[in-house]
Amino acid sequence: MPFDLALFDYDGVLVDSLDEVIKASRDVCRSMGHHCMLTREMLSTLEPMTYAQLARSIGLSPARIEPFSEFVFNRLQQADAAMPF
């Protein structure tokens, strides 16, 4: 059957962004004075897998969730070319 549109979940499906998420998370936590040692294992257990949930899982206060999420999102927007397919 022909179709007009195909959608892909780019992040995590076509591009492996895991290392970039870890680096960005550590950088923003460092800038906030939050001692976070985010690991691949921590990311694999998140449900749902969102930046806000990630912020909660590493113990950030509710006031820091939005700045954390924005920082990680913006960093990944800049790193697109460096992430492996």
Side-chain angles (χ1 to χ4, degrees), residues 9-71:
D9 178 7
Y10 180 76
D11 181 33
V13 174
L14 297 179
V15 173
D16 182 4
S17 60
L18 189 58
D19 289 336
E20 291 300 321
V21 168
I22 291 171
K23 288 177 193 173
S25 297
R26 288 179 178 173
D27 288 348
V28 69
C29 285
R30 212 174 291 123
S31 75
M32 293 176 170
H34 183 78
H35 301 288
C36 131
M37 289 304 295
L38 181 64
T39 65
R40 287 176 167 264
E41 292 75 24
M42 290 169 75
L43 284 168
S44 69
T45 62
L46 285 183
E47 189 60 43
M49 177 48 176
T50 62
Y51 299 138
Q53 189 62 24
L54 174 57
R56 286 183 201 96
S57 75
I58 59 177
L60 287 176
S61 68
R64 290 182 164 181
I65 291 174
E66 187 64 28
F68 172 90
S69 298
E70 286 180 15
F71 181 95

